[in-house]
Amino acid sequence: MNGGRDTRRPLVAPSLLAADFLRLGQEVEMLNESAADWLHLDIMDGLFVPNLSYGLPIVEQVKRVARKPLDVHLMIVHPERYVEAFSAAGADVLTVHYEVSPHLHRVVQQIKQAGMKAGVALNPHTPVALLEEVLPELDMVLVMSVNPGFGGQSFIEGSVEKVARLRDRIDRRGGQTLIEVDGGVNFETGRRLVAAGADVLVAGSFIFQSPDPARCIAGLKEIG
Ligand code: DX5
Ligand code: ZN
């Protein structure tokens, strides 16, 4: 089921989109004290996705208090214009969408030269085969398991097999590229995603709407 790999526990990246922004400092402190591995920050521009979220000032503020890497997911057109700005704001992993990047190889190099890990995100309809040429360059592929733009949406079932296909491509090359999955992740979908080969689970509403977010994060870490 997992391509013969040893079963591994996932990295967990809570999405701050679902946090209480009026208590953002305390939310980050809760994540600092939790089993979370990374903090996932969703940047939306109202163009690539039909929603707006927050931008550089929030990333900078979170960076001041976070003691874990910042995993920044750009859902914006022309991400190449903002790579250095997000590096300066404190991003450790920067992910751009395949669908807005005609010069994907170039922007991936730009992200690495700015000192960050480089990720590429795939919308639900975008096949993993389109990454064939660039895959060796990538630190991470983000498989969207909902259409990007909103938290709290239902998990798209085909994402599990998509992760398995990507796992197979990465393993056949002997690559180290991480697979992150974002959207509708909970204990049940998370378990199936990890079995299919996911390395990093992003979860927003499942964590922040639970009565005990830190415990929920610890539960996701136990998968595998
Ligand atoms: C959606 C964002 C996600 C979002 C996930 O476009 O990329 O990171 O916060 O939210 P949930 O876990 O609620 O589906
Ligand atoms: Zn995201």
Side-chain angles (χ1 to χ4, degrees), residues 40 42 73 182:
H40 184 86
D42 289 298
H73 175 192
D182 183 5

Side-chain angles (χ1 to χ4, degrees), residues 13-15 17-18 40 42 73 124 142-160 180-194 200-207 209 216 220 223:
S15 169
L17 195 62
H40 184 86
D42 289 298
H73 175 192
L142 196 179
V143 174
M144 287 305 303
S145 41
V146 297
N147 285 291
F150 302 92
Q153 302 181 84
S154 303
F155 184 77
I156 296 172
E157 280 301 321
S159 312
V160 177
E180 180 175 60
V181 188
D182 183 5
V185 170
N186 54 35
F187 290 142
E188 189 272 323
T189 56
R191 184 185 51 72
R192 289 190 287 135
L193 290 164
V194 170
V200 189
L201 299 177
V202 176
S205 45
F206 183 61
I207 289 173
Q209 287 175 12
C216 186
L220 286 168
I223 291 174

Side-chain angles (χ1 to χ4, degrees), residues 88-163:
D92 296 279
V93 183
L94 192 67
T95 296
V96 300
H97 267 264
Y98 176 89
E99 298 81 10
V100 293
S101 303
H103 303 291
L104 188 62
H105 186 278
R106 180 184 290 155
V107 70
V108 165
Q109 307 309 323
Q110 189 185 352
I111 293 169
K112 291 181 180 177
Q113 277 160 20
M116 298 172 285
K117 300 284 186 200
V120 170
L122 300 177
N123 272 348
H125 74 277
T126 306
V128 296
L130 289 171
L131 293 179
E132 180 70 16
E133 309 303 332
V134 81
L135 199 51
E137 306 292 326
L138 304 184
D139 296 302
M140 188 169 84
V141 177
L142 196 179
V143 174
M144 287 305 303
S145 41
V146 297
N147 285 291
F150 302 92
Q153 302 181 84
S154 303
F155 184 77
I156 296 172
E157 280 301 321
S159 312
V160 177
E161 287 199 8
K162 188 172 182 179
V163 167

Side-chain angles (χ1 to χ4, degrees), residues 28-82:
V28 173
E29 192 48 44
M30 178 276 290
L31 296 175
N32 282 339
E33 296 297 324
S34 78
D37 296 280
W38 299 347
L39 276 56
H40 184 86
L41 292 104
D42 289 298
I43 312 297
M44 304 180 186
D45 66 353
L47 291 170
F48 175 57
V49 290
N51 196 12
L52 295 160
S53 57
Y54 49 77
L56 288 159
I58 295 288
V59 179
E60 286 166 9
Q61 298 287 326
V62 168
K63 187 69 177 180
R64 286 173 48 196
V65 285
R67 296 198 297 273
K68 299 182 178 181
L70 301 192
D71 172 36
V72 177
H73 175 192
L74 297 184
M75 285 163 274
I76 64 174
V77 298
H78 294 300
E80 70 281 358
R81 295 181 184 169
Y82 303 94

